[in-house]
Amino acid sequence: MTDFTMQIDADGVAIVTWDVPGKSMNVLSREAFATVETLIDDALADDAVKGIVITSGKDSFAGGMDLNTLATIRQESGDDPAKGLFDFTMNGHRILRKLERAGMDPKTNKGGKPIACAIPGTCAGIGTEIALACHRRFMADNPKAKIGLPEILVGIFPGGGGTTRYSRMVGTMAAAPVLLEGRMLDPKKAKSAQLVDEVVPADDLLSRAKEWVLSAKDADIVKPWDQKGWKMPGGAPYHPAGFMTFVGASAMINGKTKGVYPAAKALLSSVYEGALVDFDTALKIEARWFTSVLMKPSSSAMIRSLFLNKEALEKGANRPAVEDQRVKKVGVLGAGMMGAGIAYVSANAGIEVVLIDAAQDAADRGRAHAEGILDKGMKRGKVTPEKKEQVLGRITATTDYAALEGCDLIVEAVFEDPGVKAEVTAKAEAQMLETGVFATNTSTLPITELATASARPEQFIGIHFFSPVDKMMLVEIIKGAHTGDIAVAKALDFVRQIRKTPIVVNDARFFYANRCIIPYINEGIRMVAEGVEPALIENAAKLVGMPLGPLQLVDETSIDLGVKIARATKAAMGDAYPDGAVDEVLFWMAGAGRLGRKSNAGFYEYDDTGKRGVIWPGLRDKHPVADTQPDLTEVQHRLLFAQVLEAVHAFEAGVLTDIREGDVGAILGWGFAPWSGGPFSWLDILGTPYAAERCDQLQAAFGDRFACPDLLREMAERNQSFYGRFGTGTGSKAA
Ligand code: NAD
């Protein structure tokens, strides 16, 4: 069976059906693209065929290109991967251009065969680009389906003609949300955005597309850019309106990407330069920019972490091979900020939830939190009243532990106090299924110690959510010393049910994410104490792709929490505690009542409505800014190395066992510079020899916290890369 098949019906319409065997969603392979060409050639050559409808045998149309293809082509192309990628891209343009011209006479534009695309459901990437090359697009009226070009989100841009075609259809400004933000649209919105022409009932999809094919005239199938006198909507670059558009778009892109994402800039360059020339030359320009982006280490790293490895982890790359552990009934203990969020995401995924707190009003508040999220969704038209009722109907808010009967998973999110946690563990275990799994959402307490309160430590595990639970995509699963395979599989299956991304780590202080983010915050605060201009620290972080500067981050998470963590760490480490200089600033801020956003006063000033303003001037009074300031790269390297060296230590210590989890977890958990692909990818981009050399320099200048980890030193000496040595996820650090 092939991915594309063709049947000619009695009316003379060739129906080309895309249905990749054994996959739930169509993805385009190189071989399948060749089949498309053959089928189009056959249909155009066959006099019995009046027109063509391209559709899908699945309830969606396509997920996009098989991104492994790009890596394969690069490998196959030996010394000249750019040539291989460019030729591959140009070949795609040639096939889609053939489809678009559909056999019409190049001079008169007459005699072509109409080609419609019938899109039954979700359609992304190259799927949308194929559709855009067709003469008319019909989409089934399924509000859950989305269509778009999300390539930018994995560090590339639509390079299958989508950039050139769509910007020429609607103009640069109107194309921006789809091309530059990667927004996926439901059928109705897609119609207003001209991504599709008609939205029709699912049952009529094929018949309506066929009807159009059979009635289309020559003029209906000539694209605007193939007609005489065509002008770019909204104005080409040298038109006054076009000039303003490109100036504005360029400023917007630089503001948003801070110059660290090459794809956005390349996309705009491709549209700008393409708009000055004819369509076929524009496609060639698009292919050149596309190739240049594919050749950047950042794009391969982003594709690897944000697409391939993220998906592999979601599909259970590190799941023990035990039977299905999907959760049917979950008990959530503690209906505070975290518990309420966990109850909501579980109920939203169709799981029955019992939400317990010490007092009924607290439990009710937790359920009301879920209601608040659903109400917001309703206002935005994303949630129907029926859906709201269904989701809320799954949450029972109570103080009665007997309601936990039949629960196959408990997630505990009560106060961060071992005594309180021990008490609720025993009470819940007495009620839940004996075969069930008990999980704690603790952020700081060792899992192995909390498991001592459990009658079944092999069924005890950490499931660590990030706040806000409904928005944050990462879930850290922590194995205690006695945690068994069933508990790991249960946690992974649960995370899959609630459609988040899991990483599995071993038990150690702060697990993985918090372990790496704390040194980032501390390095920022340490620089304040040294007299580095606070705005330099914050901007350096953002210019290297961190979503928040360290000072803003500590304001958001609260300064008293920082104080609490510092105290606990100091108590645990004794004389080895390295962060005295940080504490001086932090404790002083807390003492002055500046607790961060929650007190409307922190490293930043806030107005009465809670809007963040400038850095608080009092900070510079207390810690005067030094006359000589470090250069930008040095500040950035201090902030990034503080995090990545901790990630390497976590890997050396066996807390992380898979660098893929280290990279994906860093980007989704705390927003580590996504352009880099994550801490391990960033070290590979630098090259381990240079990274080790930089460690030595930073250590000499700023202290032993930058000492090169043994593993990095050894890899630098052998000139190894992390992905070269550990990339498959099968090798542990010892491999
Ligand atoms: P919170 O104070 O908002 O909520 C705790 C809830 O537990 C309260 O509603 C409280 O009434 C309830 N509770 C206390 N004792 C109880 C008992 N004996 N029986 C039933 N309910 C009881 O706290 P939170 O921020 O939601 O944190 C909860 C847990 O999640 C903590 O372990 C925390 O470390 C962890 N955590 C927090 C975050 C975060 O960003 N806040 C992130 C990850 C993990």
Side-chain angles (χ1 to χ4, degrees):
M1 240 175 98
T2 57
D3 293 1
F4 285 89
T5 50
M6 183 164 82
Q7 270 179 333
I8 300 163
D9 72 7
D11 300 319
V13 178
I15 311 282
V16 174
T17 306
W18 190 0
D19 197 354
V20 180
K23 292 238 176 187
S24 58
M25 175 89 89
N26 291 323
V27 287
L28 190 71
S29 67
R30 214 173 358 167
E31 298 70 32
F33 215 175
T35 319
V36 174
E37 181 173 24
T38 313
L39 296 178
I40 298 296
D41 280 341
D42 291 350
L44 293 179
D46 186 342
D47 288 341
V49 172
K50 300 195 177 91
I52 303 167
V53 175
I54 301 178
T55 190
S56 155
K58 308 195 189 289
D59 52 13
S60 56
F61 187 70
M65 189 81 200
D66 178 353
L67 287 176
N68 286 306
T69 306
L70 298 173
T72 313
I73 292 168
R74 190 193 296 262
Q75 272 160 15
E76 282 174 8
S77 311
D79 291 347
D80 203 351
K83 183 167 186 325
L85 290 165
F86 179 74
D87 289 348
F88 168 75
T89 309
M90 284 305 289
N91 189 47
H93 285 330
R94 190 184 56 73
I95 296 171
L96 291 187
R97 193 68 177 130
K98 184 187 273 188
L99 192 156
E100 182 166 67
R101 296 296 293 160
M104 67 186 84
D105 182 282
K107 289 220 172 71
T108 64
N109 280 341
K110 290 203 161 50
K113 292 185 183 179
I115 304 182
C117 192
I119 304 163
T122 289
C123 175
I126 190 76
T128 304
E129 294 181 301
I130 293 174
L132 288 172
C134 293
H135 304 126
R136 200 160 180 87
R137 289 165 294 284
F138 295 79
M139 188 166 186
D141 184 9
N142 167 4
K144 282 205 180 134
K146 295 266 158 65
I147 178 166
L149 296 161
E151 285 88 336
I152 200 83
L153 302 178
V154 289
I156 54 177
F157 72 92
T163 296
T164 303
R165 282 195 176 87
Y166 189 56
S167 60
R168 285 184 176 225
M169 282 165 63
V170 299
T172 312
M173 199 69 120
V178 171
L179 294 178
L180 276 171
E181 293 171 35
R183 240 186 252 175
M184 298 283 289
L185 307 176
D186 64 32
K188 241 165 92 191
K189 291 208 178 98
K191 188 170 176 220
S192 3
Q194 294 180 48
L195 273 178
V196 298
D197 300 298
E198 291 189 42
V199 178
V200 301
D203 289 345
D204 300 342
L205 182 67
L206 212 52
S207 57
R208 291 284 291 275
K210 268 178 58 177
E211 244 170 62
W212 182 85
V213 159
L214 290 169
S215 63
K217 306 275 176 300
D218 275 341
D220 296 334
I221 70 167
V222 185
K223 291 290 174 74
W225 42 87
D226 287 324
Q227 295 170 19
K228 276 218 175 73
W230 174 80
K231 285 205 169 54
M232 177 96 172
Y238 295 140
H239 179 275
F243 180 77
M244 291 311 291
T245 304
F246 281 99
V247 170
S250 177
M252 187 192 88
I253 285 180
N254 278 304
K256 278 200 174 168
T257 65
K258 314 279 188 247
V260 289
Y261 295 91
K265 202 169 159 192
L267 187 155
L268 191 64
S269 300
S270 168
V271 174
Y272 179 96
E273 292 166 19
L276 296 169
V277 294
D278 65 275
F279 187 77
D280 288 299
T281 312
L283 285 180
K284 201 164 171 184
I285 289 171
E286 184 190 292
R288 287 205 190 287
W289 277 112
F290 187 57
T291 306
S292 100
V293 166
L294 291 178
M295 290 302 294
K296 300 250 191 273
S298 159
S299 72
S300 333
M302 279 180 80
I303 290 176
R304 186 175 60 208
S305 290
L306 291 172
F307 190 79
L308 301 173
N309 289 344
K310 177 173 168 291
E311 194 176 88
L313 298 178
E314 285 163 359
K315 284 193 171 157
N318 291 328
R319 185 187 185 281
V322 296
E323 66 275 23
D324 188 353
Q325 293 295 325
R326 258 174 295 183
V327 176
K328 291 182 194 70
K329 181 175 174 187
V330 63
V332 180
L333 311 183
M337 185 164 89
M338 298 305 288
I342 297 164
Y344 164 72
V345 294
S346 307
N348 197 41
I351 303 170
E352 191 189 339
V353 181
V354 176
L355 179 58
I356 290 203
D357 207 293
Q360 185 62 42
D361 61 338
D364 291 340
R365 270 199 305 277
R367 190 171 181 275
H369 172 79
E371 190 167 4
I373 299 175
L374 291 159
D375 283 340
K376 262 193 214 148
M378 272 180 35
K379 264 196 202 133
R380 288 171 39 225
K382 303 247 174 226
V383 175
T384 60
E386 299 78 51
K387 163 103 184 186
K388 178 182 158 185
E389 285 317 305
Q390 274 171 9
V391 174
L392 281 181
R394 291 189 195 112
I395 305 178
T396 307
T398 178
T399 56
D400 182 7
Y401 279 72
L404 297 175
E405 190 188 344
C407 281
D408 52 336
L409 175 70
I410 302 281
V411 183
E412 168 279 301
V414 299
F415 296 142
E416 190 73 336
D417 175 320
V420 179
K421 288 192 187 293
E423 184 195 322
V424 301
T425 305
K427 275 166 85 175
E429 282 189 347
Q431 304 294 335
M432 68 185 296
L433 288 181
E434 247 179 61
T435 52
V437 168
F438 189 100
T440 171
N441 181 48
T442 180
S443 15
T444 55
L445 302 169
I447 304 302
T448 308
E449 275 172 40
L450 291 179
T452 56
S454 166
R456 307 182 279 262
E458 73 287 356
Q459 285 159 245
F460 192 99
I461 196 163
I463 302 186
H464 182 216
F465 284 87
F466 294 81
S467 175
V469 176
D470 58 310
K471 300 235 166 64
M472 296 296 286
M473 291 314 294
L474 186 73
V475 179
E476 208 172 10
I477 294 172
I478 305 114
K479 291 198 274 186
H482 308 291
T483 303
D485 280 356
I486 295 279
V488 176
K490 185 101 198 164
L492 282 167
D493 290 356
F494 174 55
V495 172
R496 192 170 177 180
Q497 275 173 286
I498 58 174
R499 291 184 288 277
K500 294 197 184 283
T501 309
I503 61 171
V504 182
V505 301
N506 285 310
D507 198 11
R509 173 174 289 281
F510 303 133
F511 317 132
Y512 174 58
N514 287 341
R515 173 183 181 145
C516 297
I517 196 73
I518 293 170
Y520 168 65
I521 290 174
N522 285 352
E523 201 59 30
I525 297 177
R526 198 187 301 268
M527 284 192 244
V528 171
E530 287 171 14
V532 178
E533 163 57 48
L536 172 59
I537 303 169
E538 295 291 90
N539 286 329
K542 285 192 231 161
L543 285 170
V544 80
M546 294 299 295
L548 304 184
L551 306 180
Q552 189 187 342
L553 183 58
V554 72
D555 264 9
E556 295 294 335
T557 51
S558 96
I559 288 171
D560 49 330
L561 178 67
V563 166
K564 220 169 131 190
I565 291 174
R567 287 218 169 94
T569 313
K570 198 170 178 174
M573 292 183 75
D575 289 346
Y577 183 70
D579 291 325
V582 176
D583 291 356
E584 225 173 88
V585 182
L586 208 57
F587 287 32
W588 171 71
M589 293 282 287
R594 301 195 70 89
L595 304 182
R597 171 177 288 286
K598 70 177 183 188
S599 67
N600 247 10
F603 284 100
Y604 283 83
E605 291 190 317
Y606 297 84
D607 70 13
D608 294 344
T609 64
K611 191 164 175 268
R612 191 167 40 83
V614 296
I615 302 250
W616 175 50
L619 190 62
R620 296 189 188 92
D621 296 338
K622 172 83 176 165
H623 297 283
V625 171
D627 291 340
T628 316
Q629 290 293 310
D631 77 16
L632 183 70
T633 310
E634 180 170 291
V635 177
Q636 290 175 329
H637 277 186
R638 285 181 69 175
L639 292 173
L640 290 189
F641 271 92
Q643 301 169 70
V644 300
L645 294 185
E646 208 50 53
V648 175
H649 288 308
F651 187 52
E652 274 182 323
V655 174
L656 271 178
T657 55
D658 183 340
I659 58 167
R660 299 177 303 174
E661 293 181 311
D663 275 353
V664 173
I667 297 176
L668 299 187
W670 75 93
F672 181 89
W675 64 267
S676 69
F680 296 98
S681 292
W682 186 61
L683 288 170
D684 279 356
I685 290 174
L686 290 182
T688 51
Y690 175 67
E693 193 185 316
R694 231 17 222 126
C695 287
D696 295 341
Q697 291 161 354
L698 290 170
Q699 182 185 13
F702 303 107
D704 287 346
R705 64 189 180 283
F706 290 110
C708 185
D710 293 343
L711 175 66
L712 179 57
R713 173 83 65 209
E714 179 212 316
M715 292 176 67
E717 277 161 9
R718 299 198 210 165
N719 197 13
Q720 287 177 331
S721 70
F722 279 92
Y723 275 87
R725 180 162 160 187
F726 305 114
T728 56
T730 49
S732 75
K733 66 188 185 329

